[in-house]
């Protein structure tokens, strides 16, 4: 899951949050007040911050944009080969084709 750490009234964070919604990616948004640190105790060099569950972190709108651009391609490939449909074999309706 992705976690977006953001400041209030941050247009860049608004754009990132919207893009995550458009991509239909599992994520949560965590508001961080001015002067607060992230849950791991660190203080980012740029806002917003997007963190992956594997520990990778992207700070600033440009770094997040680059990451999401690459992720779009990966997600599109994954979704291309997924389906929620099962076409039953007419000869054996207990098996999908």
């Amino acid at each position: 899951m992705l976690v977006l750490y953001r400041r209030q009234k941050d247009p860049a964070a608004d754009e990132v949050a919207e893009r995550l919604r458009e991509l239909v990616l599992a994520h949560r948004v965590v508001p961080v007040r001015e002067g607060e640190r992230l849950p791991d105790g660190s203080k980012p060099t740029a806002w917003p911050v997007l963190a992956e569950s594997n520990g990778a972190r992207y700070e600033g709108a440009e770094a997040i944009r680059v990451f999401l651009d690459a992720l779009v391609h990966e997600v599109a490939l994954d979704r291309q080969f997924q389906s929620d449909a099962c076409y039953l074999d007419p000869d054996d309706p207990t098996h999908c084709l």
Side-chain angles (χ1 to χ4, degrees):
M1 176 182 285
L2 298 170
V3 180
L4 174 64
Y5 297 99
R6 61 162 302 159
R7 303 277 174 116
Q8 288 187 353
K9 299 181 182 179
D10 181 353
D14 293 341
E15 290 175 23
V16 171
E18 178 61 25
R19 190 145 183 223
L20 291 169
R21 280 189 296 276
E22 288 172 357
L23 289 170
V24 192
L25 295 173
H27 71 280
R28 64 187 175 102
V29 178
V30 177
V32 179
R33 285 182 271 178
E34 191 71 35
E36 281 187 353
R37 295 182 180 270
L38 295 181
D40 66 1
S42 66
K43 193 165 190 168
T45 58
W47 292 93
V49 175
L50 187 65
E52 293 185 86
S53 56
N54 66 6
R57 190 162 96 175
Y58 308 92
E59 296 182 6
E62 182 60 24
I64 294 171
R65 185 192 61 76
V66 169
F67 168 72
L68 289 178
D69 286 349
L71 190 59
V72 166
H73 179 69
E74 186 177 325
V75 167
L77 285 176
D78 283 348
R79 289 179 181 164
Q80 178 181 355
F81 297 109
Q82 290 182 355
S83 174
D84 290 339
C86 173
Y87 299 98
L88 295 177
D89 183 346
D91 299 323
D92 183 3
T94 62
H95 290 91
C96 293
L97 294 175

